[in-house]
Amino acid sequence: MDVHLIELADHPDAVDAEPFAGPDHPIRRITRAKAFGEPWTEADSARVQEVFDGLAPEWSGNHVEPVKAAPISDALDRGRVPIDGAWLEVGSGTGAGARVLTPVVGSLICSDLSAEMLRHAPDLAPRVRADASKLPFPDASFDAILLVNMLLFPVEIDRILRDEGVVVWVNTLGDQTPIHLPPSDVIDALPGAWTGTTARAGTGFWLTARRSF
């Protein structure tokens, strides 16, 4: 096991996800490439926006099951996160993360590239349409950043996170999630030295990552 990654016991409700998106899934390769430095282009942004605008009506009904929210809840319980701090969810979609975070965190902003995803999201927190590769927030704005089944733009996440802040990375279908990176790869992709804690819950897993000083 990587010394920079602590693996906790599975949550009692953890179950294996049904086979869905294996390692050869096209979006899996894109996820890894963008996390490790392949440029994000305007064409990439337009293509992703178009896809998720089209998916928004379906996602608003089908992607908020309790088993998929379980990794977020477990990260809040066991991940030593700044509950009372300022949170940002990047790639917030139709609000699955906001439903878990809003009742418990100090403040929350939800951002997504897809206008339709934001339109279908519940009115639980301020919603900002933004490309995650160039977020419209000042440096060191947030105590915690949540990414659920979301592309990772490590330099931008590092920029807007406060020095003692926490990145919360969730894949709700574990390694069957199309937009997937294992915890060790998330830590490797983030600039500088980081340490992480991870565990399985529901059908997925969570990672909380902190800078090492």
Side-chain angles (χ1 to χ4, degrees):
M1 181 189 303
D2 191 320
V3 295
H4 299 296
L5 185 62
I6 299 168
E7 194 168 320
L8 302 183
D10 291 353
H11 189 279
D13 75 358
V15 295
D16 291 336
E18 294 292 327
F20 184 72
D24 294 329
H25 193 283
I27 196 65
R28 183 78 55 88
R29 296 193 294 272
I30 293 170
T31 301
R32 179 171 299 278
K34 301 306 180 184
F36 286 96
E38 181 182 288
W40 178 255
T41 67
E42 291 186 7
D44 291 328
S45 182
R47 184 167 59 251
V48 168
Q49 179 184 335
E50 181 180 8
V51 168
F52 282 93
D53 278 351
L55 290 172
E58 174 192 353
W59 277 48
S60 64
N62 295 341
H63 286 255
V64 295
E65 302 98 319
V67 71
K68 291 184 177 177
I72 308 172
S73 297
D74 195 38
L76 297 179
D77 289 342
R78 296 197 288 159
R80 296 189 300 113
V81 297
I83 293 290
D84 294 332
W87 284 66
L88 171 69
E89 184 179 4
V90 180
S92 58
T94 56
R99 289 178 172 90
V100 179
L101 293 181
T102 302
V104 295
V105 302
S107 66
L108 173 65
I109 295 174
C110 296
S111 71
D112 202 286
L113 177 62
S114 166
E116 284 301 299
M117 285 283 180
L118 294 172
R119 189 173 72 82
H120 282 80
D123 188 17
L124 297 174
R127 288 167 283 177
V128 176
R129 182 172 174 266
D131 187 317
S133 71
K134 47 186 177 182
L135 290 161
F137 306 109
D139 295 356
S141 293
F142 298 98
D143 298 297
I145 300 173
L146 173 66
L147 302 99
V148 180
N149 304 340
M150 173 59 191
L151 292 169
L152 177 64
F153 296 95
V155 173
E156 191 67 350
I157 294 301
D158 180 64
R159 180 186 70 80
I160 63 172
L161 187 69
R162 291 172 181 159
D163 285 346
E164 303 291 337
V166 177
V167 177
V168 184
W169 173 265
V170 172
N171 279 176
T172 57
L173 296 176
D175 63 4
Q176 295 301 308
T177 308
I179 301 178
H180 165 71
L181 284 173
S184 58
D185 285 355
V186 175
I187 290 175
D188 287 346
L190 290 165
W194 295 69
T195 59
T197 302
T198 187
R200 296 174 68 237
T203 55
F205 70 80
W206 56 266
L207 163 73
T208 53
R210 295 170 174 78
R211 296 183 182 91
S212 301
F213 295 102

